[in-house]
Amino acid sequence: MSVEIRRIITIVEETREEGGRPVDPPTRRAAAVAVIRNPFAGRYVDDLSALSDIGAELGEILPKRAVAALGIPGDQVESFGKAAAVGANGELEHAAAILHPKLGAPFRDVLGTGAALIPSSKKRGGLGIPLDVPLGHKDAAKVRSHFDGMEVRVPDAPRDDEIVVAIAVTDSGRPHPRVGGLTKEQIVGKDGLI
């Protein structure tokens, strides 16, 4: 089963000022969002492997778009995340089937690395529901400066038989981080934690 995409939206945010102070260089984050048909909307299905295969397809398409929007090579991405929202006739497990088994490997391939778990969230909702895509450093989950999130929404999605799938990437951590902990300069990057 191949993914049926109704829309793809790419969003770039650039923060130039935070807390009354300039951010230099600006912090940038990008999201790529796909609105897809849910082939299992309205019915219970035991085998969700077709949705996992769709996740693999989206894991190639969406990260390439988001990284291109940032205008940097994939290996310069610092943090990443993923999220999905199912329409009213979908199940949370449909979102999980897309996000978890197969989306991560092609996402990491686009970036060239990614030892850390990809933060994720899933929910059910109607048209325009906001998705908060959680973000964390791609190689070291304990880098606090990169604990963040990016809100995305599509005004006309998800319809009852759709799923909105989003990935986000950044070129940096939060603006003016100062809560301590492991810094990106201290990353070892072998176990995904430090």
Side-chain angles (χ1 to χ4, degrees):
M1 177 178 301
S2 185
V3 62
E4 293 181 42
I5 300 173
R6 180 167 67 88
R7 294 182 70 187
I8 295 180
I9 298 96
T10 306
I11 304 158
V12 178
E13 291 182 5
E14 184 173 286
T15 302
R16 295 174 166 263
E17 181 269 328
E18 178 79 10
R21 298 185 62 179
V23 178
D24 188 22
T27 61
R28 300 177 72 235
R29 48 193 183 180
V33 185
V35 178
I36 68 168
R37 186 181 77 79
N38 182 349
F40 301 135
R43 60 191 175 102
Y44 184 90
V45 176
D46 282 320
D47 181 1
L48 299 178
S49 59
L51 288 173
S52 297
D53 292 342
I54 286 171
E57 287 184 62
L58 295 175
E60 290 186 27
I61 296 167
L62 297 178
K64 287 177 183 174
R65 287 180 179 248
V67 171
L70 279 182
I72 61 175
D75 63 355
Q76 290 181 16
V77 166
E78 291 192 11
S79 60
F80 57 7
K82 58 188 178 179
V86 295
N89 291 335
E91 300 175 43
L92 288 178
E93 198 65 7
H94 296 165
I98 287 175
L99 293 179
H100 298 304
K102 295 185 178 179
L103 187 144
F107 192 169
R108 287 179 176 88
D109 287 346
V110 171
L111 305 182
T113 60
L117 288 174
I118 305 171
S120 67
S121 69
K122 58 199 73 57
K123 64 189 340 181
R124 178 182 296 108
L127 302 179
I129 188 169
L131 277 167
D132 290 312
V133 184
L135 293 166
H137 197 284
K138 69 177 180 177
D139 291 313
K142 293 185 178 182
V143 178
R144 290 184 199 150
S145 59
H146 289 59
F147 295 171
D148 202 358
M150 182 175 182
E151 182 180 296
V152 298
R153 69 177 72 216
V154 180
D156 69 342
R159 296 174 182 166
D160 290 349
D161 64 344
E162 291 181 330
I163 304 173
V164 176
V165 182
I167 67 91
V169 293
T170 74
D171 68 356
S172 53
R174 294 185 314 279
H176 309 310
R178 50 194 186 277
V179 295
L182 184 71
T183 67
K184 69 180 185 179
E185 293 77 23
Q186 297 170 317
I187 292 173
V188 176
K190 293 188 188 217
D191 63 2
L193 297 175
I194 57 171

